[in-house]
Amino acid sequence: MSGPMATGAEGVTAIYPGSFDPVTNGHLDLIERGQRIFKRVIVSVLLNQEKDPLFTIEERIEMLRTVTAQWNNVEVDRFEGLLVNYASAKGAVVVLRGVRAVTDFDYEFQMALMNRHLRPEIETVFLMPAEDYSYLSSSLVKEVVKLGGSVRGLVPPGIERNLKRKLKSGN
Ligand code: ADP
């Protein structure tokens, strides 16, 4: 089998969508696991006008590119509009998502079923991060840095520096 719509794990492209504001070691843990399973993983930053992000889309993409440079089957992109339409356009048949705790379940369940309703040929695949990251979120990391705490070990070193810079100057 070959080509973007090939079946079987050998040829599968997965989209890993999210805000990544900023990328954390939890996201990286998931990308690492995903790239071992799938032929190609496209990490895609959602252009969501409703949210008020700390980092611009360009900054988030740049950070993701830097921390995923070690994997040559991982790409970074952006998208807006319906995720399933974007996935199809990219030749992806899998949407990759992380489940940390039961609190993620409700929302993820709704999204996965809605996406299946919209495009039944696309499957959502959930992976669990390492235990150490199961309580970790971008918003919690931002909160801790804002209050002067250390997030060492929870985000890559360069990301921690960017967070400190951003949260000192400005907000
Ligand atoms: P959203 O804004 O939709 O929550 P995020 O950028 O926070 O998007 O997360 C994107 C995806 O990464 C989601 O599937 C989320 O569950 C997953 N994720 C976020 N943080 C972690 C983590 N610490 N461990 C595993 N998965 C995570």
Side-chain angles (χ1 to χ4, degrees), residues 4 10 16 21 31 33 46 57 60-62 68-69 71 84 86 96-97 112 133 141 155 157 159-160 166 170:
E10 216 179 293
Y16 180 35
D21 187 37
I31 296 167
R33 288 172 203 279
L46 169 65
I57 190 108
R60 284 179 274 158
I61 288 173
E62 176 66 30
T68 62
W71 300 299
V84 286
Y86 166 75
L96 181 62
R97 294 289 288 179
Y133 305 132
V141 158
V155 297
I159 307 292
E160 184 174 10
K166 196 68 140 178

Side-chain angles (χ1 to χ4, degrees), residues 90-164:
K90 287 282 173 182
V93 289
V94 165
V95 170
L96 181 62
R97 294 289 288 179
V99 273
R100 285 161 285 193
V102 280
T103 45
D104 278 340
F105 187 79
D106 227 27
Y107 175 69
E108 294 293 340
F109 189 71
Q110 274 186 35
M111 290 254 294
L113 289 182
M114 180 53 79
N115 285 336
R116 177 176 285 168
H117 170 80
L118 295 168
R119 271 192 196 256
E121 70 275 22
I122 293 179
E123 290 293 344
T124 303
V125 172
F126 295 102
L127 293 178
M128 273 186 289
E131 258 170 65
D132 288 359
Y133 305 132
S134 60
Y135 60 92
L136 183 60
S137 69
S138 298
S139 49
L140 200 54
V141 158
K142 285 183 278 193
E143 200 57 36
V144 168
V145 173
K146 206 182 281 178
L147 298 172
S150 168
V151 291
R152 188 170 304 157
L154 303 181
V155 297
I159 307 292
E160 184 174 10
R161 281 195 295 276
N162 289 348
L163 274 162
K164 283 182 179 156

Side-chain angles (χ1 to χ4, degrees), residues 43-87:
V43 184
S44 202
V45 184
L46 169 65
L47 262 163
N48 187 347
Q49 318 296 14
E50 283 161 46
K51 284 191 184 175
D52 185 20
L54 178 65
F55 292 97
T56 66
I57 190 108
E58 287 78 19
E59 289 170 330
R60 284 179 274 158
I61 288 173
E62 176 66 30
M63 287 187 278
L64 276 167
R65 289 217 167 107
T66 305
V67 298
T68 62
Q70 60 194 299
W71 300 299
N72 57 19
N73 60 340
V74 176
E75 293 163 36
V76 182
D77 192 22
R78 68 174 82 187
F79 77 103
E80 55 190 327
L82 275 182
L83 170 64
V84 286
N85 289 352
Y86 166 75

